[in-house]
Amino acid sequence: MAETTLDLAGVAKPEAYAELARQVDVVLEGIDDEIAAMATISSAVHTAMQHLWTGFYRVVVPGKLLRVGPYQGTVGCLEIEFGRGVCGTAAATGKTVIADDVTAFPGHITCDPRSRSEIVVPVFDANRVLLGVFDIDSDQPGAFDTQDRDGLESIVAWFARPRAAA
Ligand code: SME
């Protein structure tokens, strides 16, 4: 399989995310499986961006509970309630949350004490139903900005793509 790893160190964020979105589309062509997509996106983004933790929390009880899905990094906490911490806030509001300093974020859940900043992007299907959130943690403070938000939102737009009727 082509397109296995991308080295995006030193590449400007908008170009890096565009390249990642292209890689994800190529690798997942013909695949209609959300878990396979979550695993592929986690691996692609983690390998290219080299942050601490990259992965998904899935909605298992709508409006109430997230459970960990495919990820890369140290062991993540298993369940997060809607409204709790950065992931729970993104799930509850349906909006991307950027925490420049996780220690200042109310209710932040510490999975890896090295984490300093975080971005969490909600993941919707084609009907705007919330499937989960995509979470990236960095060991650097203030690692994420609106370019990361735009780039990551365009990558998880894979889950909202129109699908051929079965
Ligand atoms: N810190 C997160 C919890 C998930 S982990 O970082 C993997 C939060 O407060 O949502």
Side-chain angles (χ1 to χ4, degrees), residues 1-48:
M1 181 171 68
E3 310 269 345
T4 47
T5 42
L6 287 174
D7 181 1
L8 296 173
V11 177
K13 286 179 182 180
E15 285 83 55
Y17 285 116
E19 189 57 29
L20 273 170
R22 199 186 62 80
Q23 180 199 23
V24 164
D25 279 349
V26 168
V27 174
L28 291 175
E29 193 181 351
I31 297 292
D32 186 11
D33 181 317
E34 286 162 3
I35 298 295
M38 289 178 186
T40 299
I41 290 170
S42 297
S43 175
V45 174
H46 193 73
T47 305

Side-chain angles (χ1 to χ4, degrees), residues 8-153:
L8 296 173
V11 177
K13 286 179 182 180
E15 285 83 55
Y17 285 116
E19 189 57 29
L20 273 170
R22 199 186 62 80
Q23 180 199 23
V24 164
D25 279 349
V26 168
V27 174
L28 291 175
E29 193 181 351
I31 297 292
D32 186 11
D33 181 317
E34 286 162 3
I35 298 295
M38 289 178 186
T40 299
I41 290 170
S42 297
S43 175
V45 174
H46 193 73
T47 305
M49 298 294 184
Q50 303 190 0
H51 289 306
L52 260 191
W53 199 94
T54 309
F56 289 83
Y57 282 87
R58 300 163 299 123
V59 174
V60 289
V61 184
K64 290 198 170 8
L65 190 66
L66 299 165
R67 185 173 296 142
V68 77
Y71 67 92
Q72 301 269 321
T74 53
V75 172
C77 53
L78 289 185
E79 293 186 331
I80 299 174
E81 290 160 18
F82 274 55
R84 203 164 155 243
V86 191
C87 289
T89 300
T93 60
K95 293 197 171 12
T96 294
V97 179
I98 295 173
D100 290 332
D101 172 4
V102 293
T103 63
F105 195 91
H108 173 255
I109 304 156
T110 304
C111 297
D112 185 327
R114 295 171 299 170
S115 177
R116 289 288 170 273
S117 62
E118 181 165 353
I119 185 168
V120 182
V121 180
V123 178
F124 296 100
D125 73 6
N127 299 315
R128 280 293 289 180
V129 173
L130 185 72
L131 297 175
V133 298
F134 185 37
D135 175 14
I136 305 181
D137 287 33
S138 172
D139 61 2
Q140 302 297 314
F144 304 104
D145 57 26
T146 54
Q147 292 186 332
D148 297 280
R149 180 197 64 199
D150 294 349
L152 293 167
E153 287 180 355

